Amino acid sequence: MTDLRQQMEFLLEMDRAKQIGRQTYLSDGSRKENDAEHSWHMALMVFLLADYANEPIDVLKTMKMILLHDVIEIDAGDTYAYDEEGNQTKRARECAAADRIFGLLPKGQGQECRMLWEEFEAMETPEAKFANMLDKIQPLLLNDASGGRSWREHGIKKSQVLARNARVHEGSEELWNYARELIEKNVENGNLQDA
């Protein structure tokens, strides 16, 4: 099989990300977003908010990381952030998915994509810290804009949101301060339980 054919088959497989539903509603609350929309939104955020990173980042590398970070959910499914049971098996499911999905590409590109995904997961480099921060803050922004709809549906507590976002400051102190204001606002509005 030629490289081009493999790349085209991979791109068609990526179209399935549009079918992976998430728990976060669009800003207008009309429906829940899908993985493709989530990744596109964050890629735009990397481009626009890179200056807020705690350390200088390679914007293109970070955008690649963001665009790839959830494609494994085509096989592994989306695990809701606050699903304690689902999160216990998440890593094993996602690694198996990464093997198959990145294996669709020509070897060199497949290895590059897998390395970017692993780097995102490890959250050690400035790019991975910033990308992970955006992955946590983007749903926060949408929850705030939609009146906390997803939080209210799931009975989410402030303590859960703070625990999930415990490392967000490593990507950007300034954006974390902004997010904390949103969290407090949503506690005051009753969208998040103050516990």
Side-chain angles (χ1 to χ4, degrees):
M1 184 182 296
T2 67
D3 285 358
L4 178 58
R5 186 176 301 274
Q6 284 180 275
Q7 291 162 327
M8 290 301 182
E9 287 185 8
F10 176 82
L11 291 169
L12 283 174
E13 185 72 5
M14 294 304 95
D15 188 63
R16 292 178 58 202
K18 298 172 187 174
Q19 299 170 347
I20 308 298
R22 295 174 46 82
Q23 292 299 314
T24 309
Y25 284 89
L26 300 181
S27 60
D28 68 359
S30 62
R31 66 172 174 84
K32 294 178 179 177
E33 71 175 349
N34 64 49
D35 271 359
E37 293 165 329
H38 169 67
S39 295
W40 164 82
H41 200 194
M42 287 195 307
L44 187 58
M45 292 171 80
V46 171
F47 171 65
L48 294 175
L49 302 175
D51 289 344
Y52 296 101
N54 289 342
E55 303 171 71
I57 61 167
D58 178 331
V59 171
L60 179 58
K61 179 182 178 183
T62 309
M63 289 175 84
K64 288 179 184 179
M65 206 177 284
I66 286 292
L67 291 170
L68 291 169
H69 86 288
D70 274 346
V71 300
I72 44 80
E73 292 181 0
I74 290 169
D75 286 0
D78 177 59
T79 304
Y80 183 49
Y82 303 104
D83 176 358
E84 292 178 21
E85 187 177 318
N87 277 297
Q88 291 176 12
T89 62
K90 179 181 175 184
R91 178 71 182 165
R93 287 183 286 115
E94 290 186 348
C95 284
D99 289 342
R100 184 191 77 81
I101 291 170
F102 298 134
L104 296 173
L105 283 164
K107 188 175 181 180
Q109 281 187 322
Q111 288 173 337
E112 178 188 6
C113 290
R114 178 64 182 253
M115 287 173 44
L116 285 165
W117 179 74
E118 293 287 359
E119 183 177 338
F120 174 87
E121 291 294 309
M123 200 177 158
E124 293 174 354
T125 63
E127 290 80 8
K129 289 175 184 178
F130 193 73
N132 269 276
M133 178 271 305
L134 292 178
D135 194 35
K136 306 288 189 300
I137 285 185
Q138 188 263 1
L140 243 162
L141 290 172
L142 292 181
N143 262 299
D144 176 62
S146 66
R149 187 168 175 187
S150 179
W151 286 330
R152 286 185 282 110
E153 285 179 358
H154 293 279
I156 302 301
K157 301 173 182 150
K158 174 185 172 182
S159 59
Q160 290 174 285
V161 175
L162 292 175
R164 173 157 172 74
N165 290 281
R167 294 187 62 192
V168 163
H169 70 94
E170 294 177 30
S172 171
E173 292 288 349
E174 193 162 351
L175 292 175
W176 173 233
N177 288 335
Y178 181 84
R180 284 191 357 212
E181 290 175 16
L182 294 181
I183 292 167
E184 292 304 327
K185 177 179 115 178
N186 280 277
V187 170
E188 291 170 16
N189 292 344
N191 297 328
L192 277 171
Q193 297 175 25
D194 191 10

